[in-house]
Amino acid sequence: MKRKYSVFLKNVGSCSDRYCAAYGQDYSLRELFERAASIELLSGVDIVLTPDILEDIPAVEKLLKSTGLKAVSFAVDHFTQAKWRQGTFSSLDKRTRQEAIAATKEAMDIASGLGCDLVTIWPGQDGYDYIFQADYIEERTLFAEGIKEACRHRSDVRLSLEYKLKEPRTHSYLNSVGTTLLMLDEIAEPNCGVALDYGHALLGYENPAESVALLHKYGRRLMHVHINDNYRLWDDDMIAGSVHTLEYLEFFYWLRRTSYQGWLTIDQFPYREDGRDAVEESAKWLDCFEAVMDAADMDEIGGILKRKDAVAASRLMRELLFGKQNV
Amino acid sequence: MKRKYSVFLKNVGSCSDRYCAAYGQDYSLRELFERAASIELLSGVDIVLTPDILEDIPAVEKLLKSTGLKAVSFAVDHFTQAKWRQGTFSSLDKRTRQEAIAATKEAMDIASGLGCDLVTIWPGQDGYDYIFQADYIEERTLFAEGIKEACRHRSDVRLSLEYKLKEPRTHSYLNSVGTTLLMLDEIAEPNCGVALDYGHALLGYENPAESVALLHKYGRRLMHVHINDNYRLWDDDMIAGSVHTLEYLEFFYWLRRTSYQGWLTIDQFPYREDGRDAVEESAKWLDCFEAVMDAADMDEIGGILKRKDAVAASRLMRELLFGKQNV
Amino acid sequence: MKRKYSVFLKNVGSCSDRYCAAYGQDYSLRELFERAASIELLSGVDIVLTPDILEDIPAVEKLLKSTGLKAVSFAVDHFTQAKWRQGTFSSLDKRTRQEAIAATKEAMDIASGLGCDLVTIWPGQDGYDYIFQADYIEERTLFAEGIKEACRHRSDVRLSLEYKLKEPRTHSYLNSVGTTLLMLDEIAEPNCGVALDYGHALLGYENPAESVALLHKYGRRLMHVHINDNYRLWDDDMIAGSVHTLEYLEFFYWLRRTSYQGWLTIDQFPYREDGRDAVEESAKWLDCFEAVMDAADMDEIGGILKRKDAVAASRLMRELLFGKQNV
Amino acid sequence: MKRKYSVFLKNVGSCSDRYCAAYGQDYSLRELFERAASIELLSGVDIVLTPDILEDIPAVEKLLKSTGLKAVSFAVDHFTQAKWRQGTFSSLDKRTRQEAIAATKEAMDIASGLGCDLVTIWPGQDGYDYIFQADYIEERTLFAEGIKEACRHRSDVRLSLEYKLKEPRTHSYLNSVGTTLLMLDEIAEPNCGVALDYGHALLGYENPAESVALLHKYGRRLMHVHINDNYRLWDDDMIAGSVHTLEYLEFFYWLRRTSYQGWLTIDQFPYREDGRDAVEESAKWLDCFEAVMDAADMDEIGGILKRKDAVAASRLMRELLFGKQNV
């Protein structure tokens, strides 16, 4: 598989959590681009269209050009502003819904203007927290209608929806690969698909490899991949490969098997680390996993899957990791 | 809502776990029926068609008649026999798949013969345990084909599929409300729907009330409900109401709101309790929850859901439980 | 049990998460005090000694006096500043450890000066995130030494340690009731105890009632209680009582049984709610639970616990909630 | 580290779960011994003293001799018989407690007679399922008293206690490394320690490597290790190494660092696999991990732990797995 690694631009900077507003220093837009560009394995960048970025798209364009980084995707900021606190496309407030749609259309135009055909939507505020707090049917219907309208804005840009079980809400509407595919069926637009976040899949007790398979089976919907790692119970957003090993190998197998041609975008929260160095680590792990799969025999693996034999699966994994003569 | 409570027949008996083969004593078929019938709140019974039951359907018929219990649903035994260890409808072995289909058709005929139009399928063995053990696409396709064939056997009996995140496999194919609805779309038969197990929904970090809403929104697919309780992380199969309270109230609200007319079948594992008494406790809890909802103002609740206001939701729940002048 | 409810002062204001820096408006110190004081059921306040508060202790003193709120506890800010990113008492950097100790001593002096004998320490940054990142033995030893030194600063102020499984680190050192009690044994100072956070206990699959019992059994260590609610898998910091019901009743039973005389301090994150109203809801729930326990027969409950009978426990809970003639 | 791998004898046979009473065929005692002995990497065996085994200890002795397998530990059967359903040492029934103690003393005598100085106690039935079901203080006190008495039976045999968060009870008394160490302090006998089950530690969101460190720090209590794997949320008892990789490496590092000299006993449930082959797989994974640690520089690792640097930790792990020039 051709290595196409990207990163969310601000991942190479600093971040905060709900307790500490600033674990690290600030970086200028130029510094962020340069830090990303300094990582040899990366060739692209994903950018969240937060208000500060929207104010200076020409600067973004210039820095893309000067660093040679490809704009892989633009993510609409549907989550950092208080106005989205009770949802974006699913908001019960009509004006808020219209703003959410307008921001998406604007993002599609910006993307297209910068030679990028992919916009990412992570509706993290669309959901609920409390029992008896929400009308699960009506809000989902509003959500589908809003995305549909955005999709129709222009057919030359794709919208990829990113699901996540929870956080910042205790319950998200797009909470799993299954409900997201149902939502896509409801939206029924050809330029709408899924951005699979590896860590989000793990968090929901999904096997990310199986999620790739499901996205393929039910309409070939996989448009984008976000990469990070966690301990399965929360979106820890750690260095990719720092926790899971075998699940990553199976994930890469299924990306190849389903002929995924898109990018892998590193998306993590390096609270206490130097952001650039943490991203570089992720890229190196990804490259190690790719190398293992390059050396693997895809037909042999396919044959083992057809045996449904745990002992054979165990042996395969052991050999992938430690070589055929490992014991 | 009209109270229609049933129980899985053997729940009033004894059960085992993977360590202890017999926590309690054995009961004859007649004793089981009599124990179930002795619980005033119950008016029906669900029966798993294990080999011992299949041997004597006439006895079942007689006991149904003598106890006056309604046969609510027959469940196909796709999970207690070693031959299903690597799956039933999704098995890679053609003969095993055919047996799974045949057992289902037989169950449909038995049900119909006993005045029951509902068969339950819990494909607990259809899934996988290990990474790199399964072809997630092919096995799901086989599963859909098998269910489709069974559905077409006769249109006067409905097949309800029961999902569960895991156990006995570490990963089930029908693992969530979302993937189950996708499977139903693939199967595309009108007499196929879902048996929602309250505890299975909780186990998968689903909010059971929301699962009811989703089953309604995406095709009015809810055909049956299984009831029990757990601590959210495992299918503990405890007395219904012994752990959760507010989630149950919301669940009953959505059952009413979506006009569910089916049964609530108690489905628990009373390892260390007298099975009959544990079931009676469940029935009493259910009746308490129903009474709360009988006294509630459905329009008021609907209005609160439209406000998306956590404080209002909290107050509503407090008043449902402790009355309007509780503080 | 005498109702003594307090709240963390800033809970009646606004809060942020890692995505959104400000969900609500800012409130002045005076406004925060007045909002807390406007909640009838509250008679105390807990205050985190963040830099802004430390700058104006006289203002705090004046507002305590004018509102009549009792200063229940002062919490040392060992978690909002970047300098603590790799730990406080357990930091490998000696100067950082000394700062952590000095801040604690200062808090003890401030508390004492304001008529309060309790200081709370939540060492949220003391732990680790990654595999192979930490020396689990050495860092814990440093932690114990630091707390010991702080305890010896003055014997008229108590230090209560608050444990939590994780967050902001993926792994905390004080992660459970068990390891915290071991740490207390290592510290071996009489003025050191535990601040039990109800939600933290739930998060770690502890039963909070059992945690109270353990804190009593192993040295009568319970000094303080924080109250909130969550879905068991994360520290959602929701309105107390909005999720759990029966666990709260059992919690109050064990507080009474072990003669807890301290305060219940509401500690939640009302991201999308009006902070004051969310806190008032919690106080009202607590009062409802207390009222249930006031009406309960403690001896009857004690007798049921000695039967180890799940059916009897279920019936007891049903009767506590719905009355003796509920069905 | 010298490889000393053992297996629970019946692991090379067949097993059941709560749905299916027999996934595989039966094996005679002789066959079980021979199957274990046929795995080259194994040199010992652990045996649970179930009634069938107790009936023919001479046969066990003969088979130990003929196969050359060392008896590593005998586990008392405190979990497969209905009489233990409400606890063993913590039972409220005095006669049950006496039986539990007597069975332990008998096991100590049998062990000693077969040249083995280690008895394992897994009190899986000691705990509770329901809220308001148990007196957490009294039952724990009874437990400690019972173990104390057993320990004093003979000082030449050690008793190792195995903790587990839950299952078969929803809540165990020995539920974590912390509460187990507290219990050991209460028992206060020199021949009492801990049998750490790798999967049980994972299940409780413990990092098994850290659990080894804690057992060392608080009294050098680690006496025995059980090995298997799972997905962190349940005791799946899978092939060791089939899920986790990096956590295993850190686990082996801390075993070496704390000079653990005991055995690693494979303890898994191969529901759908040939038991012997599944055990052999585990042994091969363990050997691979040991080989990685043999090649690692212990001082280099120790130095990295002292830096508390996630990027350095990530690089270390990547190099352990893929070599120093992996990218």
Side-chain angles (χ1 to χ4, degrees):
Chain A
M1 197 159 98
K2 184 149 166 273
R3 270 76 153 168
K4 296 200 294 185
Y5 306 140
S6 173
V7 69
F8 268 102
L9 183 63
K10 291 192 178 169
N11 276 213
V12 296
S14 304
C15 56
S16 64
D17 61 28
R18 64 173 171 146
Y19 303 111
C20 178
Y23 277 101
Q25 62 171 108
D26 273 343
Y27 293 95
S28 70
L29 190 65
R30 168 178 300 278
E31 286 171 321
L32 290 170
F33 265 96
E34 285 169 356
R35 282 163 68 85
S38 75
I39 301 171
E40 209 179 333
L41 287 164
L42 299 187
S43 48
V45 72
D46 288 51
I47 298 170
V48 183
L49 293 170
T50 43
D52 56 314
I53 297 284
L54 282 174
E55 268 174 23
D56 201 358
I57 295 296
V60 170
E61 183 164 19
K62 219 177 77 181
L63 287 162
L64 284 168
K65 210 162 290 179
S66 67
T67 56
L69 291 166
K70 158 105 183 93
V72 171
S73 159
F74 288 88
V76 192
D77 172 17
H78 284 130
F79 44 90
T80 79
Q81 301 171 67
K83 66 179 173 185
W84 309 126
R85 74 159 69 80
Q86 291 290 12
T88 61
F89 297 97
S90 73
S91 170
L92 295 172
D93 176 62
K94 191 177 178 177
R95 210 170 59 185
T96 304
R97 292 200 300 277
Q98 290 174 332
E99 278 187 65
I101 296 167
T104 310
K105 292 178 177 176
E106 183 189 10
M108 294 168 90
D109 295 339
I110 288 170
S112 181
L114 295 176
C116 165
D117 79 335
L118 184 64
V119 161
T120 301
I121 289 178
W122 172 52
Q125 304 284 1
D126 293 81
Y128 61 98
D129 302 307
Y130 285 83
I131 303 164
F132 278 115
Q133 189 184 7
D135 185 325
Y136 309 121
I137 292 179
E138 182 186 2
E139 295 192 20
R140 273 192 173 78
T141 301
L142 293 172
F143 186 89
E145 289 170 358
I147 298 285
K148 192 177 188 68
E149 181 181 334
C151 284
R152 291 182 168 185
H153 174 59
R154 51 190 304 164
S155 61
D156 61 339
V157 176
R158 297 171 296 153
L159 283 190
S160 63
L161 307 185
E162 183 176 356
Y163 66 88
K164 183 181 178 184
L165 184 62
K166 56 178 173 176
E167 199 217 9
R169 308 310 296 250
T170 68
H171 294 77
S172 312
Y173 286 139
L174 293 194
N175 57 358
S176 69
V177 67
T179 55
T180 303
L181 282 164
L182 288 168
M183 183 62 83
L184 288 180
D185 286 345
E186 188 176 358
I187 294 165
E189 293 294 330
N191 58 335
C192 198
V194 171
L196 172 65
D197 185 292
Y198 184 88
H200 295 182
L202 275 182
L203 161 64
Y205 199 75
E206 290 180 15
N207 177 351
E210 187 180 8
S211 305
V212 168
L214 282 165
L215 289 168
H216 186 77
K217 176 176 173 60
Y218 292 114
R220 312 195 171 212
R221 300 287 204 173
L222 183 60
M223 285 186 176
H224 201 22
V225 172
H226 292 176
I227 288 282
N228 49 66
D229 217 334
N230 65 47
Y231 291 100
R232 287 184 188 274
L233 286 158
W234 185 252
D235 187 29
D236 300 308
D237 278 331
M238 297 163 76
I239 294 169
S242 68
V243 184
H244 289 88
T245 307
L246 302 172
E247 289 90 340
Y248 261 114
L249 295 181
E250 196 194 20
F251 182 68
F252 278 91
Y253 167 77
W254 277 94
L255 286 179
R256 287 167 188 236
R257 164 115 172 234
T258 59
S259 305
Y260 176 68
Q261 301 294 331
W263 291 71
L264 302 181
T265 292
I266 295 162
D267 180 7
Q268 56 197 37
F269 270 67
Y271 300 106
R272 296 170 183 79
E273 291 74 47
D274 179 88
R276 183 213 162 275
D277 294 351
V279 167
E280 187 175 40
E281 270 302 310
S282 286
K284 288 182 173 178
W285 277 104
L286 296 178
D287 226 47
C288 287
F289 296 139
E290 297 269 30
V292 170
M293 293 317 297
D294 281 345
D297 180 335
M298 293 290 286
D299 291 338
E300 182 197 352
I301 297 176
I304 285 169
L305 301 191
K306 293 249 186 292
R307 291 169 54 192
K308 199 81 182 267
D309 175 346
V311 169
S314 172
R315 186 181 309 121
L316 167 68
M317 294 190 283
R318 201 158 36 75
E319 291 178 355
L320 285 174
L321 218 51
F322 296 110
K324 297 245 174 189
Q325 271 70 47
N326 64 72
V327 176
Chain B
M1 196 159 101
K2 185 147 166 273
R3 269 73 153 172
K4 295 199 295 187
Y5 307 139
S6 172
V7 69
F8 269 100
L9 184 63
K10 292 194 178 169
N11 276 214
V12 298
S14 304
C15 55
S16 64
D17 61 29
R18 64 171 170 146
Y19 303 111
C20 178
Y23 278 102
Q25 61 172 111
D26 272 344
Y27 293 96
S28 69
L29 191 64
R30 167 178 300 280
E31 287 171 319
L32 291 171
F33 266 96
E34 285 169 357
R35 282 163 68 83
S38 75
I39 301 173
E40 207 178 334
L41 287 163
L42 297 189
S43 49
V45 73
D46 288 52
I47 298 169
V48 183
L49 294 169
T50 41
D52 56 315
I53 297 284
L54 282 173
E55 270 174 23
D56 200 358
I57 294 294
V60 171
E61 184 164 20
K62 219 178 75 181
L63 287 163
L64 283 168
K65 210 163 288 178
S66 67
T67 57
L69 291 167
K70 156 106 184 93
V72 171
S73 158
F74 288 87
V76 192
D77 171 17
H78 284 131
F79 45 90
T80 78
Q81 300 170 66
K83 67 180 172 184
W84 308 125
R85 74 158 70 81
Q86 292 290 11
T88 60
F89 298 98
S90 72
S91 171
L92 294 172
D93 176 62
K94 191 174 180 181
R95 210 170 58 185
T96 304
R97 291 199 303 276
Q98 289 173 333
E99 279 187 64
I101 295 167
T104 309
K105 291 177 177 174
E106 183 188 11
M108 294 169 89
D109 295 340
I110 289 170
S112 181
L114 295 175
C116 165
D117 79 335
L118 184 63
V119 162
T120 301
I121 290 177
W122 171 52
Q125 304 284 2
D126 292 81
Y128 61 98
D129 302 306
Y130 286 82
I131 304 165
F132 278 113
Q133 188 183 7
D135 185 324
Y136 310 121
I137 293 180
E138 183 186 0
E139 295 191 20
R140 273 191 173 79
T141 300
L142 294 172
F143 186 89
E145 290 170 357
I147 299 286
K148 193 179 188 69
E149 182 182 334
C151 284
R152 291 181 168 184
H153 174 59
R154 52 191 302 164
S155 62
D156 61 341
V157 175
R158 296 170 298 154
L159 284 191
S160 64
L161 308 185
E162 181 177 358
Y163 65 87
K164 182 180 180 185
L165 185 60
K166 56 178 173 177
E167 200 221 5
R169 309 309 297 249
T170 69
H171 295 78
S172 311
Y173 286 139
L174 292 195
N175 56 359
S176 69
V177 67
T179 54
T180 304
L181 282 164
L182 288 168
M183 183 64 82
L184 288 180
D185 286 345
E186 188 176 357
I187 294 164
E189 292 294 331
N191 59 335
C192 198
V194 172
L196 173 64
D197 184 292
Y198 184 87
H200 294 183
L202 275 182
L203 161 64
Y205 200 77
E206 289 181 16
N207 176 352
E210 187 180 8
S211 305
V212 169
L214 283 166
L215 289 168
H216 186 76
K217 177 177 173 59
Y218 292 113
R220 312 193 170 215
R221 299 286 203 174
L222 183 60
M223 285 185 175
H224 201 22
V225 172
H226 292 176
I227 288 284
N228 49 66
D229 217 335
N230 65 46
Y231 292 100
R232 286 183 189 277
L233 286 159
W234 186 252
D235 187 28
D236 300 308
D237 277 330
M238 299 163 74
I239 294 170
S242 68
V243 184
H244 288 90
T245 307
L246 303 172
E247 287 90 340
Y248 261 114
L249 295 180
E250 196 194 21
F251 182 68
F252 278 91
Y253 167 78
W254 277 94
L255 285 179
R256 287 166 188 238
R257 165 114 174 237
T258 58
S259 304
Y260 176 68
Q261 302 294 333
W263 290 71
L264 302 182
T265 292
I266 294 162
D267 180 7
Q268 57 199 34
F269 269 68
Y271 300 105
R272 295 169 185 79
E273 291 74 47
D274 178 89
R276 183 217 163 273
D277 294 351
V279 167
E280 186 174 43
E281 269 302 308
S282 287
K284 288 183 173 177
W285 277 103
L286 295 178
D287 225 46
C288 287
F289 295 139
E290 297 267 31
V292 170
M293 292 318 296
D294 282 345
D297 180 336
M298 292 289 286
D299 291 338
E300 183 197 352
I301 297 176
I304 283 168
L305 300 191
K306 293 249 186 294
R307 290 169 55 193
K308 197 84 183 263
D309 176 346
V311 170
S314 173
R315 186 181 308 122
L316 166 68
M317 294 190 282
R318 203 157 33 76
E319 291 177 355
L320 286 174
L321 216 51
F322 296 109
K324 295 244 175 193
Q325 271 71 46
N326 63 69
V327 175
Chain C
M1 197 159 100
K2 186 149 163 271
R3 271 71 152 172
K4 295 199 296 187
Y5 305 140
S6 171
V7 70
F8 268 101
L9 184 62
K10 291 193 179 170
N11 276 213
V12 297
S14 304
C15 56
S16 64
D17 63 27
R18 65 172 171 146
Y19 302 111
C20 177
Y23 277 103
Q25 61 171 109
D26 273 342
Y27 293 96
S28 69
L29 190 65
R30 166 177 303 279
E31 287 172 320
L32 291 170
F33 266 96
E34 286 169 355
R35 283 163 68 84
S38 75
I39 301 172
E40 210 179 333
L41 287 163
L42 298 189
S43 48
V45 73
D46 288 51
I47 298 171
V48 183
L49 294 170
T50 42
D52 56 313
I53 297 284
L54 282 174
E55 267 174 23
D56 201 357
I57 295 296
V60 170
E61 183 165 20
K62 220 178 74 181
L63 287 163
L64 283 168
K65 211 162 289 177
S66 66
T67 56
L69 291 166
K70 158 105 184 92
V72 170
S73 158
F74 288 88
V76 192
D77 171 17
H78 283 130
F79 44 88
T80 78
Q81 301 170 66
K83 66 179 172 185
W84 308 126
R85 74 158 70 80
Q86 290 291 10
T88 60
F89 298 97
S90 72
S91 170
L92 295 172
D93 177 61
K94 190 175 179 179
R95 212 170 59 186
T96 303
R97 293 199 301 276
Q98 289 173 334
E99 278 188 66
I101 296 167
T104 309
K105 292 177 177 176
E106 183 188 10
M108 294 168 89
D109 295 340
I110 289 170
S112 180
L114 295 176
C116 166
D117 79 334
L118 185 63
V119 161
T120 301
I121 289 177
W122 172 52
Q125 303 285 359
D126 293 81
Y128 61 97
D129 302 307
Y130 285 82
I131 303 164
F132 278 114
Q133 190 185 7
D135 185 325
Y136 310 121
I137 293 180
E138 182 186 1
E139 295 193 19
R140 274 191 172 79
T141 301
L142 294 171
F143 186 87
E145 290 169 357
I147 298 285
K148 192 176 188 71
E149 181 181 334
C151 284
R152 292 182 166 183
H153 174 58
R154 51 189 304 163
S155 61
D156 61 340
V157 176
R158 296 171 297 154
L159 284 191
S160 64
L161 307 185
E162 182 176 358
Y163 66 87
K164 183 180 179 184
L165 185 61
K166 56 178 174 177
E167 200 221 5
R169 307 310 296 250
T170 68
H171 295 76
S172 311
Y173 286 139
L174 292 194
N175 57 358
S176 69
V177 67
T179 54
T180 303
L181 282 164
L182 289 168
M183 184 63 82
L184 288 180
D185 285 345
E186 187 177 358
I187 293 165
E189 292 294 331
N191 59 334
C192 198
V194 171
L196 172 65
D197 185 292
Y198 183 87
H200 294 182
L202 275 181
L203 160 64
Y205 199 76
E206 290 180 17
N207 177 353
E210 187 181 8
S211 304
V212 168
L214 283 165
L215 289 168
H216 185 76
K217 176 176 174 59
Y218 292 114
R220 313 197 170 212
R221 300 286 204 174
L222 183 60
M223 285 185 175
H224 201 23
V225 172
H226 292 177
I227 288 283
N228 49 66
D229 217 334
N230 65 48
Y231 291 100
R232 286 183 189 273
L233 286 159
W234 186 250
D235 187 28
D236 300 309
D237 277 331
M238 298 165 75
I239 293 170
S242 68
V243 184
H244 289 88
T245 307
L246 302 172
E247 288 90 341
Y248 262 114
L249 296 180
E250 196 195 20
F251 183 68
F252 277 91
Y253 167 78
W254 277 95
L255 286 179
R256 287 168 188 236
R257 164 116 174 237
T258 57
S259 305
Y260 176 69
Q261 301 295 331
W263 291 71
L264 302 182
T265 293
I266 294 162
D267 180 6
Q268 58 197 34
F269 270 67
Y271 300 105
R272 296 169 184 79
E273 292 74 46
D274 179 89
R276 183 213 162 276
D277 294 351
V279 167
E280 186 175 42
E281 269 303 310
S282 287
K284 288 182 172 176
W285 277 104
L286 296 178
D287 225 48
C288 287
F289 296 138
E290 298 267 31
V292 170
M293 292 318 297
D294 282 345
D297 179 336
M298 292 288 287
D299 291 338
E300 183 196 353
I301 297 176
I304 285 168
L305 300 191
K306 293 247 184 294
R307 291 169 54 193
K308 199 81 183 267
D309 174 347
V311 170
S314 173
R315 186 183 309 121
L316 166 70
M317 294 189 282
R318 200 157 36 74
E319 292 177 354
L320 286 174
L321 217 51
F322 296 111
K324 296 241 175 193
Q325 272 71 46
N326 64 70
V327 175
Chain D
M1 199 159 100
K2 188 153 164 265
R3 269 74 154 170
K4 295 200 295 186
Y5 306 140
S6 172
V7 69
F8 268 102
L9 182 63
K10 292 195 178 168
N11 276 214
V12 297
S14 302
C15 55
S16 64
D17 61 29
R18 64 172 171 147
Y19 304 110
C20 179
Y23 278 102
Q25 61 171 110
D26 272 341
Y27 292 95
S28 69
L29 190 65
R30 167 178 301 280
E31 286 171 321
L32 290 171
F33 266 96
E34 284 168 356
R35 282 163 68 84
S38 76
I39 302 172
E40 206 179 336
L41 287 162
L42 299 187
S43 49
V45 72
D46 288 52
I47 297 170
V48 183
L49 293 169
T50 42
D52 57 314
I53 297 283
L54 283 173
E55 269 174 24
D56 200 358
I57 295 295
V60 171
E61 184 166 18
K62 218 178 74 181
L63 286 163
L64 284 168
K65 212 164 288 178
S66 66
T67 57
L69 290 167
K70 157 106 185 90
V72 171
S73 158
F74 288 87
V76 192
D77 171 17
H78 284 131
F79 45 90
T80 77
Q81 302 171 66
K83 65 180 173 183
W84 309 126
R85 73 157 70 80
Q86 292 291 10
T88 59
F89 298 97
S90 73
S91 171
L92 294 171
D93 176 61
K94 191 175 178 179
R95 211 172 57 186
T96 304
R97 291 200 302 277
Q98 289 173 333
E99 279 187 65
I101 295 167
T104 309
K105 291 177 177 175
E106 182 188 11
M108 294 168 90
D109 294 341
I110 289 170
S112 180
L114 295 176
C116 165
D117 78 336
L118 184 64
V119 161
T120 300
I121 290 178
W122 171 53
Q125 303 283 3
D126 292 81
Y128 61 98
D129 302 308
Y130 286 82
I131 303 166
F132 278 113
Q133 189 184 7
D135 185 325
Y136 309 121
I137 292 180
E138 183 186 1
E139 295 192 20
R140 273 191 173 79
T141 301
L142 293 172
F143 186 88
E145 289 170 357
I147 299 285
K148 192 177 189 69
E149 182 181 334
C151 283
R152 290 181 168 185
H153 174 58
R154 52 190 301 164
S155 61
D156 61 340
V157 176
R158 297 171 296 153
L159 284 191
S160 63
L161 308 185
E162 182 176 357
Y163 66 87
K164 182 179 179 185
L165 184 61
K166 54 178 174 176
E167 198 218 8
R169 310 310 296 249
T170 69
H171 294 76
S172 312
Y173 286 140
L174 292 196
N175 57 359
S176 68
V177 67
T179 54
T180 304
L181 282 164
L182 289 168
M183 183 63 83
L184 289 181
D185 286 345
E186 189 177 356
I187 294 165
E189 292 295 331
N191 59 334
C192 197
V194 171
L196 173 66
D197 185 292
Y198 184 88
H200 295 183
L202 274 182
L203 160 64
Y205 199 76
E206 290 180 17
N207 177 351
E210 187 181 6
S211 304
V212 169
L214 283 165
L215 289 168
H216 186 76
K217 176 177 174 59
Y218 292 114
R220 310 192 173 216
R221 300 286 205 177
L222 182 59
M223 285 184 176
H224 200 22
V225 172
H226 292 177
I227 287 283
N228 49 66
D229 217 335
N230 66 47
Y231 291 101
R232 285 182 188 276
L233 287 158
W234 187 251
D235 187 28
D236 301 307
D237 277 331
M238 299 164 73
I239 294 169
S242 68
V243 184
H244 289 89
T245 308
L246 302 172
E247 288 90 342
Y248 261 114
L249 296 181
E250 196 195 20
F251 182 68
F252 278 91
Y253 167 77
W254 278 94
L255 286 179
R256 288 168 186 235
R257 166 115 172 235
T258 57
S259 304
Y260 176 68
Q261 301 294 331
W263 290 71
L264 303 181
T265 292
I266 294 163
D267 179 7
Q268 57 198 35
F269 269 68
Y271 301 106
R272 297 170 183 78
E273 291 73 47
D274 178 89
R276 184 215 162 275
D277 294 350
V279 167
E280 185 175 43
E281 270 302 309
S282 286
K284 288 184 173 177
W285 276 103
L286 295 178
D287 225 47
C288 287
F289 296 140
E290 297 268 30
V292 169
M293 292 318 295
D294 281 346
D297 180 335
M298 292 290 285
D299 291 337
E300 182 197 351
I301 296 177
I304 284 168
L305 299 191
K306 293 249 185 294
R307 290 170 53 192
K308 198 85 183 260
D309 175 347
V311 170
S314 172
R315 187 182 308 122
L316 167 67
M317 295 189 282
R318 200 157 36 73
E319 291 177 355
L320 285 174
L321 218 51
F322 296 110
K324 296 243 175 192
Q325 271 72 46
N326 63 70
V327 175

